[in-house]
């Protein structure tokens, strides 16, 4: 069939018509936008209207540059809220001013009439405004009505019942206002303020009534608890977010206050009968919290379960506490807390049950906070023996620890530690059964098992130490016990590591026959180090004990390092063994009656052993830590010899020998070689200074010439060798001592000769492109020149005006700043040129 007109022509006609429609639509939208902007007031900085661009997603009729399109033009709600708030605030201020200032100028009838009319009007107006859909204005007038009702209460008390007790009247007024605003809020359900205000007023009637009646603290606690229960019910079943939030805050405040009152009364009760009433209060609080947790959301249910558990422990433990001596009160609460673990057998909601378990864990944690400080005192108490080394064997363990701890008051601390350690150890041992029992509430992972095993090991160790201290065992027994405990911890760490490396049994969550887990091994290793330090300090009271303990520690840690296969643990154990050996050499020096500087060479025995051991171990990962620890011992020896120059020179020379011995090995040569050279040169300088030599060149030049000859031969054999390796030691052996003497030499000959020699060396370095010669010679030349010119510079500086040096410095900074890029490029070129030198 033939189209009339043809399809191509008809398509062109449709395109033209659509284009005309688009143009007309754009014109109409622009005109509409202008009309809307003309009818609606705009802010001073509001964007101008313009034609909306095509393809930018603007809705039809929305001006370009405006925000999202709204249903109808209206003033921003933020401005409306500000106006309503200011209006309500002004009316409130006027009402307060009228009540407080103008009240006395009116009669009884006028006062009553004015307040009644204004209050009734403020209460009635929101209902009318809500029907007209003016909710924000109604909310503002409701707030005004709330203030007016408070003023009415004040006016009634001041005029109608001036003799009434203030607390009693306030309690009654709070109850009346709570009922009034609850009814008002329920009647006008669209208002957000009345019901939260009613909840606020509910907090005070019982509390203020009990206070006004002079009731005992336990009655006040009951009043707080009843109020908290009411708040909890409102928080669970109340209508509206504001009501629930207000009730939740009241529940937290009043419930916490009730628990604190009950706990305080329970702790101050003189006997079990006196603790019954506080216990009943706490137990009721626990039941109420658990009932609320049963229906609350997950997070709040967990908090409620924790509060219920803690309140139950405080209730039952408070009664039992009053029946036992004061030393054993903490274990009573601990046992009550552990009894909460039976919640896994009770059908509770998961969140509430987890909260109770959280309380069951919080009670032992609190008991440990009480029991662990004495353990720290046992470990750190021997520090006092450092001031009086080998003063004599104390009477007992407590005598070695000092008299700072009230040992009779913490006799139950070992029991607490033992109970918690036993519980953690049982959990670690029978982990699968524990996981099955706790499955309805929690699903603990393998890391929890490792933590329980580590905690059991650490607390068991602390139990034995604290028990020995509280029993005041003899000093030799205490030393032997701590040493044996260190050996046991090392055995656990080493054997556990071997078992862990042996197969799958090393997993944290393995069965009873598996490995002990990395957390337990780390705990054992940390305990071994801490126990070794503690028993080492404890042994300082007796010479024989010191040798016995540090000898045993050196053997134990060395054996453990050889036994274990874990690299990190092996390195740590080997380092500790080196430290104990160094301490033994120091003790030997003290036994020989050597002065500190005389003992310094003896302390180098252990560094010598570590150098030999490093040569045996070579590239083993343990070699470097062992050698560095020995180097620290050598550093201690140098520090002891500083007071006597001859001994210092001897010690430096011996350290240089050790460094040279380490430099024989290729992997240590880059560091140990330079260190040996520095030590030998330092020993030479110290020896020359001790001999009061004023011409060091007589001793340094014979060393410099052969060293330079060796450097020339080295460069011929290996042209790629660095000039620092070939010529640096030889040049430094003469230049640096001569420079040090030249700075204190008043004569001119040595500085002149030194400057000439440094200049020649610098020129040779520049000619042959040798970095060591250029830098060493240039540095010595600059310092020597500075020394010679310093007096004249000081004279010139004293003759110049005070303002001239800062001005010159400022000009220099400006010049450098202006040519910073050029200076930076020059510095880079200089750096590259030096880097290309040998």
């Amino acid at each position: 069939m033939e189209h009339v007109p043809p399809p191509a022509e008809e398509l062109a006609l449709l395109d033209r018509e659509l284009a005309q429609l688009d143009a007309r639509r754009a014109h109409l939208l622009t005109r509409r936008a202008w009309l809307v902007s003309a009818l609606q007031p705009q802010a001073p900085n509001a964007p101008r209207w313009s034609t909306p661009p095509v393809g930018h997603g603007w809705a039809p009729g929305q001006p370009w540059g405006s925000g999202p399109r709204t249903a109808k033009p209206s003033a921003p709600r933020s401005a409306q809220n500000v106006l309503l708030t200011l209006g309500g605030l002004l009316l409130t201020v006027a009402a307060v001013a009228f009540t407080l200032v103008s009240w006395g100028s009116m009669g009884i009838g006028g006062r009553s009439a004015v307040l009644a009319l204004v209050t009734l009007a403020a209460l009635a107006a929101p209902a009318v405004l809500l029907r007209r859909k003016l909710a924000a204005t109604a909310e503002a007038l409701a707030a005004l009505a709330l203030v007016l009702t408070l003023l009415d209460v004040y006016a009634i008390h001041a005029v109608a019942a001036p003799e009434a007790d203030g607390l009693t009247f306030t309690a009654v007024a709070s109850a009346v206002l709570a009922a009034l605003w609850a009814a008002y809020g329920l009647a006008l359900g669209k208002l957000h303020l009345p019901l939260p205000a009613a909840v606020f007023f509910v907090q005070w009637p019982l509390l203020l009534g009990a206070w006004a009646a002079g009731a005992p603290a336990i009655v006040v606690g009951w009043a707080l608890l009843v109020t908290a229960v009411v708040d909890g019910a409102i928080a669970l079943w109340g209508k509206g977010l504001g009501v629930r939030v207000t009730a939740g805050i009241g529940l937290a405040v009043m419930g916490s206050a009730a628990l604190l009152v009950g706990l305080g009364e329970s702790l101050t009760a003189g006997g079990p009968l006196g603790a019954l009433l506080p216990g009943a209060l706490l137990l009721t609080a626990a039941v109420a919290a658990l009932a609320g947790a049963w229906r609350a959301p997950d997070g709040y249910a967990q908090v409620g379960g924790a509060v219920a558990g803690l309140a139950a422990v405080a209730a039952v433990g408070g009664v039992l506490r009053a029946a036992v001596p004061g030393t054993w009160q903490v274990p009573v609460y601990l046992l009550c807390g552990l009894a909460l673990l039976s919640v896994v057998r009770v059908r509770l909601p998961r969140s509430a049950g987890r909260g109770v378990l959280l309380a069951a864990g919080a009670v032992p944690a609190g008991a440990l906070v009480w029991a662990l400080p004495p353990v720290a005192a046992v470990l750190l108490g021997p520090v006092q023996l450092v001031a009086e080394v080998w003063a004599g064997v104390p009477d007992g363990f407590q005598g070695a620890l000092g008299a700072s701890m009230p040992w009779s008051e913490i006799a139950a601390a070992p029991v607490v530690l033992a109970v918690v350690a036993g519980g953690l150890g049982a959990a670690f041992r029978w982990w699968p059964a524990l996981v099955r029992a706790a499955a309805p509430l929690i699903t603990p992972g393998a890391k929890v098992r490792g933590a329980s095993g580590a905690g059991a090991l650490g607390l068991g160790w602390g139990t034995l130490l604290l028990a020995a201290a509280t029993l005041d065992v003899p000093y030799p027994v205490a030393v032997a016990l701590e040493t044996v405990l260190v050996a046991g911890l090392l055995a656990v760490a080493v054997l556990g590591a071997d078992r862990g490396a042996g197969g799958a049994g090393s997993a944290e969550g393995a069965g009873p026959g598996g490995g002990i887990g990395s957390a337990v091994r780390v705990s054992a290793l940390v305990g071994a180090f801490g126990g070794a330090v503690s028993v080492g300090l404890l042994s300082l009271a007796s010479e024989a004990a010191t040798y016995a303990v540090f000898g045993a520690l050196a053997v134990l840690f060395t054996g453990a390092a050889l036994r274990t296969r874990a690299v990190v643990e092996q390195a740590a154990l080997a380092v500790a063994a080196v430290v104990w050996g160094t301490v033994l050499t120091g003790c030997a020096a003290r036994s020989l009656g050597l002065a500190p500087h005389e003992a310094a060479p003896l302390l180098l025995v252990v560094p010598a052993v570590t150098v030999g051991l490093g040569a045996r171990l070579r590239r083993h990962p343990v070699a470097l830590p062992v050698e560095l620890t020995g180097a620290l011992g050598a550093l201690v020896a140098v520090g002891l010899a500083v007071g006597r120059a001859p001994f210092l020179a001897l010690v430096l020379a011996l350290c240089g020998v050790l460094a040279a011995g380490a430099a024989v090995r290729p992997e240590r040569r880059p560091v140990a070689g330079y260190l040996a050279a520095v030590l030998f040169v330092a020993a030479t300088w110290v020896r020359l200074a001790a001999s009061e030599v004023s011409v060091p060149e007589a001793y340094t030049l014979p060393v410099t010439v052969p060293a330079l000859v060796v450097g020339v031969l080295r460069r011929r054999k290996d042209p790629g060798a660095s000039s620092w390796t070939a010529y640096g030691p030889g040049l430094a052996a003469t230049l640096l001592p001569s420079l040090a003497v030249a700075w204190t030499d008043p004569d001119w000959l040595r500085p002149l000769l030194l400057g000439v020699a440094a200049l020649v060396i610098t020129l040779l370095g520049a000619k042959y492109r040798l970095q060591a010669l250029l830098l060493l010679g240039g540095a010595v030349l600059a310092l020597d020149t500075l020394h010679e010119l310093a007096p004249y510079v000081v004279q010139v500086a004293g003759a110049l005006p005070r303002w001239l040096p800062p001005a010159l410095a400022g000009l220099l900074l400006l010049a450098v700043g202006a040519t910073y890029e050029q200076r930076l490029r020059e510095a880079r070129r200089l750096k590259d040129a030096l880097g290309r030198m040998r």
Side-chain angles (χ1 to χ4, degrees), residues 193-252:
L193 180 63
L195 289 179
V199 175
F200 172 78
F201 289 123
V202 164
Q203 312 302 313
W204 308 110
L206 294 178
L207 174 62
L208 296 179
W211 192 0
I218 192 65
V219 176
V220 175
W222 280 104
L224 291 169
L225 179 59
V226 172
T227 305
V229 170
V230 174
D231 287 331
I234 296 173
L236 287 174
W237 295 293
K239 183 176 66 174
L241 179 62
V243 174
R244 292 195 297 271
V245 169
T246 307
I249 295 173
L251 171 62

Side-chain angles (χ1 to χ4, degrees), residues 246-661:
T246 307
I249 295 173
L251 171 62
V253 175
M254 295 298 178
S256 300
L259 291 174
L260 290 176
V261 170
L263 182 61
E265 291 295 306
S266 177
L267 292 176
T268 57
L273 293 178
L276 286 177
L277 287 178
L281 173 63
L282 292 170
L283 202 58
T284 305
V287 172
L290 191 60
W294 206 290
R295 297 178 175 273
D298 289 343
Y300 298 103
Q302 190 167 343
V303 174
V307 171
L310 293 175
V313 170
V316 179
V319 177
L320 298 177
R321 175 206 63 84
V324 299
T327 307
W328 299 92
Q329 293 177 358
V330 175
V332 168
Y333 284 105
L334 174 60
L335 294 176
C336 294
L338 294 178
L340 290 177
L341 295 175
S342 61
V343 72
V344 297
R345 298 294 184 183
V346 180
R347 290 189 176 182
L348 286 177
R350 184 178 178 88
S351 296
R354 294 177 70 176
V356 177
L357 284 181
L358 183 63
V363 174
L368 290 179
V369 170
W370 174 78
L372 285 177
V375 178
V378 173
L379 292 174
L380 300 178
V383 173
Q384 63 176 344
L385 297 176
V386 175
E388 299 179 359
V389 178
W390 298 349
V393 177
D395 295 334
F397 197 3
Q398 294 180 7
L401 300 176
S404 58
M405 288 296 297
W407 298 106
S408 60
E409 299 179 8
I410 58 173
V415 177
V416 171
L417 294 176
V419 171
V420 179
L424 293 176
F428 180 79
R429 177 64 180 82
W430 291 286
W431 183 253
L434 176 65
V435 172
R436 287 193 299 269
L441 298 181
I442 57 174
T443 53
K447 292 183 178 180
V448 180
R449 185 194 183 192
S452 64
L457 182 65
L459 293 177
W461 170 54
T463 300
L464 295 176
L465 290 181
L466 192 55
T470 53
L471 295 175
D472 195 18
V473 299
Y475 174 77
V477 175
V479 173
L481 175 64
E482 288 206 40
T483 307
V484 170
L485 288 176
V486 171
L489 291 172
L490 287 176
V492 172
V494 173
L495 297 179
D498 291 343
R499 292 182 64 184
S506 61
E508 297 282 9
I516 64 172
S518 61
V520 179
R521 298 196 301 271
V522 171
S523 176
L525 195 62
V526 173
F529 281 106
V533 173
S534 178
V535 71
L537 294 173
L538 184 65
S539 68
L540 295 179
S542 169
E543 183 176 3
T546 301
Y547 281 107
V549 167
F550 281 103
L553 291 178
V555 172
L556 288 173
F557 278 83
T558 302
L562 294 175
R563 183 68 175 81
T564 186
R565 287 176 290 176
V567 175
V568 176
E569 296 176 6
Q570 192 176 40
L573 292 168
V575 166
V578 173
V579 172
W580 310 141
T582 304
V583 174
L584 275 176
T585 57
C587 294
R590 182 180 177 84
S591 297
L592 295 174
L594 301 179
H597 62 276
E598 295 173 337
L602 184 60
L603 288 179
L604 295 178
V605 172
V606 175
V609 173
T610 59
V611 170
L613 186 60
R616 178 68 181 272
L617 296 173
R618 300 192 68 80
R619 296 185 181 276
H620 194 280
V622 177
L624 182 59
V626 169
E627 292 181 80
L628 290 178
T629 308
L632 291 178
L635 187 61
V636 173
V638 172
L640 292 176
V642 166
R644 297 293 182 91
F647 278 92
L648 179 59
L650 174 62
V651 171
L652 290 174
L654 293 175
C655 291
V657 171
L658 296 178

Side-chain angles (χ1 to χ4, degrees), residues 122-124 126-127 130 135-147 149 174 176-202 234 239-240 242-244 246-247:
L123 290 172
L130 287 175
T137 308
E139 204 74 53
L141 287 180
L144 175 62
L146 175 62
V147 176
T149 53
S174 299
V176 173
L177 289 175
L180 171 65
W181 282 98
Y184 188 72
L186 293 174
L188 302 178
K190 294 183 179 181
L191 293 179
H192 299 89
L193 180 63
L195 289 179
V199 175
F200 172 78
F201 289 123
V202 164
I234 296 173
K239 183 176 66 174
V243 174
R244 292 195 297 271
T246 307

Side-chain angles (χ1 to χ4, degrees), residues 745-770:
D745 191 352
D747 201 1
W748 58 273
L749 182 59
R750 176 178 279 108
L752 176 61
L753 295 176
L754 179 63
V756 172
L759 178 61
V760 171
I761 292 171
T762 303
L763 294 176
L764 289 175
K767 179 179 179 181
Y768 294 104
R769 304 180 64 79
L770 298 175

